[in-house]
Amino acid sequence: MYIAVLTIEVSLPGCGSLKEKRQRMGGVHERFGRNPAVAVCESGQRDRLEASEWTFVVAGNERPKVESLCSEIEDKVQRTVDGRVMSVAREML
């Protein structure tokens, strides 16, 4: 079993409300939480409107598949979120 922890921090300049923050993040939890191999949560910056941090835990039987899924998550977040990805950290356990 291979497990990866992927943490993505996003800057949301000009965000003025919690409702706008949710809209700009574009349903990250709903989109990625449907996959049974992925657990996702907003792990930091909850009380800041202009930033958001999300952590994804990806599990699988083959390391290449886990790494591929992490790369897919990174790409989709960068393409779909109305903000700027500030940092990405990936750790294999």
Side-chain angles (χ1 to χ4, degrees):
M1 176 72 65
Y2 295 92
I3 299 172
V5 178
L6 176 66
T7 303
I8 301 175
E9 189 171 340
V10 179
S11 172
L12 303 165
C15 186
S17 70
L18 184 57
K19 181 178 179 180
E20 181 183 353
K21 181 178 180 178
R22 280 191 226 114
Q23 288 174 339
R24 289 179 66 179
M25 288 307 299
V28 168
H29 187 270
E30 291 78 23
R31 185 178 310 119
F32 299 109
R34 292 181 188 165
N35 186 329
V38 179
V40 59
C41 71
E42 185 176 12
S43 56
Q45 309 290 353
R46 290 186 205 178
D47 49 347
R48 289 189 56 211
L49 295 177
E50 294 189 353
S52 189
E53 179 184 275
W54 287 81
T55 298
F56 304 83
V57 178
V58 181
N61 291 329
E62 299 173 18
R63 185 181 179 117
K65 286 187 178 182
V66 170
E67 290 176 343
S68 174
L69 188 50
C70 285
S71 294
E72 181 181 324
I73 291 168
E74 280 182 56
D75 291 343
K76 282 187 179 179
V77 167
Q78 288 189 16
R79 284 192 327 262
T80 61
V81 169
D82 182 17
R84 186 174 63 210
V85 174
M86 299 302 290
S87 68
V88 177
R90 187 187 301 188
E91 178 183 1
M92 292 297 290
L93 304 178

